[in-house]
Amino acid sequence: MEEYGQWLKSAQGQVDGAFLATENNLIFAEYADGRTAWRVTATLTLPRGRHIATLDYISPSDTLLDDVEAAEQLVVRKVYCYAGVGPDGNPVVSRPFAPLPLLSYLPLVTKEPVPIEPIVCQYCGMVIMDYVGGQVTLPASRVAALTQEHWGEALCYGCSSKRSSQEAAKSKW
Amino acid sequence: MVISVGKSYDFKTSLRIGARASNAVQERFILSGWAVENVEGLPLFRALDIDFIVGAPGCGVFTVEVKGDQSAHATKNIYIETSSNDSTGSLGCLIYSRADYIAYYVMGAGACLMIPRKELQSWIARRIDDFTSVTIQAHATAKSSGTPVPIRVIKAEVPGCYLLYDLPVLGVE
């Protein structure tokens, strides 16, 4: 969590009617109607020195504002905020806001094929495993389908990575 | 990531345009509640021209290739690159990519045209000869061939195509 601290540390002050303070990757805001705290869970760097942060809403309770350890135990829902440099050159954080409605119609054209039998890599003979990323897992059936479409063989992630590296090296020569 | 432009750009400028498009599309997905895994640097996904794996619980997983275009806002055309380097015969990104969606980011308009890749490729096979082909100096050392097609034609004729707009910046610029 330490990596988010740098821009948060200095980003505090009066924003959008709320006083924002930051400490240990937590954002505290005091609005006219009460206090709230959020914990930063991820950041994405944007153009023009901006960041977007994913926050876990912690609690509106006054007592938690002084108790960082207790606050970290209570996660209720996810929100977002923007952070960056304001017009006066000082760091600022926007008032946290809820996610937009999910674009649920997006994957309708890309339904996952459901494998009936385990998929075996045609190169190394191992059962093809899901590609597990930091946030999203690409099902094994999709990895196999992609390599089948591209190279005519259903390959596991490891073998397909080796093959693509070899082909890239060949094309240089 | 390939940048389709009407004039020559140096390598650094192309990278900057690509990074801007990539960030804007990633931001839009994250704010809509999707988890995004950036796989641009991984060999398999580089070979398949896939930039992101996007997923949400219960909504499936799909893959996205981002393409940034700085001229489309003025020309109102999408550049369908059939060959990215005429001297080596490399195929253009829209022909070559294996992503589920092409996210065609139009700089200046703050809009992204989400195009289902398979539908786009079958549309290209049927209709590309109805439009005029051009050769451009894509980079200082490479010429590319392709066909500019009006955005409204793609939007009307490729099934499952729709526009995503950037969000207003909330409190931070």
Side-chain angles (χ1 to χ4, degrees), chain B residues 76-88:
Chain B
K76 308 282 187 259
N77 289 331
I78 278 180
Y79 180 64
I80 296 186
E81 194 179 52
T82 47
S83 154
S84 63
N85 187 336
D86 286 355
S87 57
T88 61

Side-chain angles (χ1 to χ4, degrees), chain A residues 80 82 85 106-107 134-135 142, chain B residues 27 36 59 100-101 162 173:
Chain A
Y80 302 99
Y82 280 103
V85 179
L106 262 173
Q135 294 179 297
R142 180 65 66 80
Chain B
E27 178 186 2
V36 179
C59 291
D100 296 320
Y101 281 93
Y162 61 91
E173 184 54 74

Side-chain angles (χ1 to χ4, degrees), chain B:
Chain B
M1 194 174 304
V2 180
I3 313 300
S4 69
V5 289
K7 57 179 180 175
S8 172
Y9 283 94
D10 61 52
F11 187 60
K12 272 188 183 172
T13 309
S14 298
L15 282 182
R16 188 176 51 76
I17 294 169
R20 232 181 105 190
S22 176
N23 270 325
V25 173
Q26 197 172 351
E27 178 186 2
R28 184 66 175 81
F29 275 119
I30 289 173
L31 288 178
S32 306
W34 293 94
V36 179
E37 177 76 15
N38 188 328
V39 291
E40 282 171 278
L42 302 179
L44 170 62
F45 300 107
R46 229 173 17 224
L48 302 173
D49 246 347
I50 291 172
D51 290 335
F52 302 140
I53 303 172
V54 182
C59 291
V61 178
F62 57 96
T63 54
V64 177
E65 161 70 7
V66 179
K67 192 166 162 61
D69 191 328
Q70 211 165 26
S71 310
H73 186 39
T75 63
K76 308 282 187 259
N77 289 331
I78 278 180
Y79 180 64
I80 296 186
E81 194 179 52
T82 47
S83 154
S84 63
N85 187 336
D86 286 355
S87 57
T88 61
S90 313
L91 289 175
C93 150
L94 298 185
I95 310 282
Y96 178 77
S97 176
R98 289 291 169 265
D100 296 320
Y101 281 93
I102 305 290
Y104 200 96
Y105 189 71
V106 181
M107 305 271 176
C112 174
L113 188 63
M114 294 294 294
I115 317 170
R117 189 262 308 169
K118 278 187 183 167
E119 283 78 355
L120 176 68
Q121 288 172 347
S122 44
W123 182 90
I124 290 170
R126 277 197 323 272
R127 293 272 279 125
I128 198 77
D129 291 338
D130 299 340
F131 301 90
T132 311
S133 180
V134 293
T135 298
I136 62 166
Q137 190 78 39
H139 299 285
T141 55
K143 280 185 179 174
S144 84
S145 300
T147 306
V149 177
I151 293 173
R152 61 177 169 76
V153 172
I154 295 281
K155 204 164 165 274
E157 295 187 13
V158 179
C161 214
Y162 61 91
L163 273 169
L164 280 182
Y165 289 97
D166 277 359
L167 297 164
V169 175
L170 304 175
V172 177
E173 184 54 74

Side-chain angles (χ1 to χ4, degrees), chain A residues 105-158:
Chain A
Y105 48 90
L106 262 173
L108 293 178
V109 291
T110 57
K111 288 252 186 213
E112 295 296 335
V114 180
I116 299 164
E117 292 175 359
I119 306 165
V120 175
C121 176
Q122 291 177 13
Y123 187 77
C124 70
M126 300 287 281
V127 173
I128 295 174
M129 305 295 287
D130 290 350
Y131 166 78
V132 182
Q135 294 179 297
V136 189
T137 298
L138 190 65
S141 54
R142 180 65 66 80
V143 174
L146 283 168
T147 62
Q148 178 78 46
E149 191 183 346
H150 190 58
W151 287 305
E153 289 178 306
L155 301 178
C156 66
Y157 178 76

